[in-house]
């Protein structure tokens, strides 16, 4: 497995819809997910979508371990999702700060559904079907947006709340990119 380079905003691949995975048991899917895990770990990300490493397939990974340095960032289960579907539960939204490995150094205040249901397949083809809220729901929505060619800056309602992390959060409490 390997740490891969991250595509950054401006790359047309990040604005394209990714394709469904047709064979979950394909050996190269395991290689892809291994590379995604290595890349996310090396960059201390909260999540990563396959298009971010240049692979236009509907695969995302995410997960945040409890980190004593960032006690305000809640834990998110380590998850691999192939062909995910996300649907809102209710219409309640909340705004929260996001960063993205494909938009390095920046943060924006992004509205997301507060509660969602998400489904997808794990690497063995098993169904994952969960409800999530808050930060967990936010990470899932951010990652799945990547599969539809959506980067978080396009969702920011007020661009005054979009800027350089080091300026917005001089004390470095902004959390992780995804
Ligand atoms: Ni991202």
């Amino acid at each position: 497995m390997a740490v891969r380079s991250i595509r950054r905003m401006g790359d047309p691949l990040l604005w394209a819809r990714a394709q469904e995975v047709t064979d979950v048991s394909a050996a190269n899917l395991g290689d892809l997910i291994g590379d995604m895990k290595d890349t996310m770990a090396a960059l201390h990300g909260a999540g990563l979508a396959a298009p971010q490493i240049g692979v236009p397939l509907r695969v995302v990974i995410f997960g945040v371990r409890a980190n004593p340095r960032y006690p305000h960032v809640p834990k998110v289960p380590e998850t691999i999702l192939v062909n995910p579907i996300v649907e809102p539960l209710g219409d309640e939204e909340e705004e929260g700060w996001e960063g993205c490995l494909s938009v390095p150094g920046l943060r924006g205040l992004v509205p997301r559904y507060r509660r969602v249901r998400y489904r997808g397949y794990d690497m063995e083809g098993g169904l994952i079907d969960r409800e999530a809220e808050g930060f967990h729901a936010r990470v899932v929505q951010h990652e799945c947006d990547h599969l539809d060619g959506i980067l978080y800056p396009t969702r920011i309602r007020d661009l005054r709340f979009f800027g350089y992390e080091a300026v917005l959060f001089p004390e470095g409490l902004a959390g992780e990119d995804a």
Side-chain angles (χ1 to χ4, degrees), residues 7-176:
R7 303 280 180 121
R8 288 179 297 165
M9 189 166 67
D11 188 320
L13 192 140
L14 293 173
W15 301 117
R17 186 185 183 280
Q19 297 302 303
E20 274 76 15
V21 172
T22 52
D23 181 3
V24 175
S25 64
N28 57 2
L29 187 65
D31 291 344
L32 169 65
I33 289 167
D35 284 359
M36 289 174 68
K37 284 182 169 174
D38 287 354
T39 304
M40 187 175 108
L43 300 174
H44 306 290
L48 187 70
Q52 292 182 276
I53 60 166
V55 178
L57 289 174
R58 302 186 80 77
V59 179
V60 302
I61 65 172
F62 52 82
V64 179
R65 290 194 199 117
N67 184 337
R69 283 172 54 224
Y70 301 108
H72 65 294
V73 175
K75 192 166 168 263
V76 177
E78 306 263 344
T79 305
I80 296 160
L81 280 184
V82 177
N83 297 341
I85 294 171
V86 185
E87 58 183 317
L89 293 174
D91 52 15
E92 190 185 345
E93 294 183 352
E94 62 189 7
E95 297 211 306
W97 290 98
E98 295 187 17
C100 180
L101 294 169
S102 296
V103 192
L106 292 158
R107 297 275 159 171
L109 197 59
V110 181
R112 298 287 185 187
Y113 290 109
R114 202 182 76 76
R115 295 183 64 233
V116 297
R117 177 186 184 189
Y118 66 92
R119 282 168 283 181
Y121 296 91
D122 63 22
M123 266 176 80
E124 287 77 44
L127 181 66
I128 294 167
D129 185 346
R130 290 183 190 147
E131 293 183 4
E133 61 179 42
F135 183 68
H136 180 180
R138 175 172 300 279
V139 170
V140 173
Q141 289 170 86
H142 177 115
E143 294 316 324
C144 292
D145 261 1
H146 277 297
L147 305 182
D148 291 329
I150 298 167
L151 298 174
Y152 82 82
T154 67
R155 292 198 181 276
I156 297 170
R157 291 193 174 130
D158 182 343
L159 286 170
R160 290 176 298 176
F161 297 99
F162 182 44
Y164 293 96
E165 179 179 13
V167 178
L168 289 163
F169 300 100
E171 291 172 22
L173 297 173
E176 293 162 308

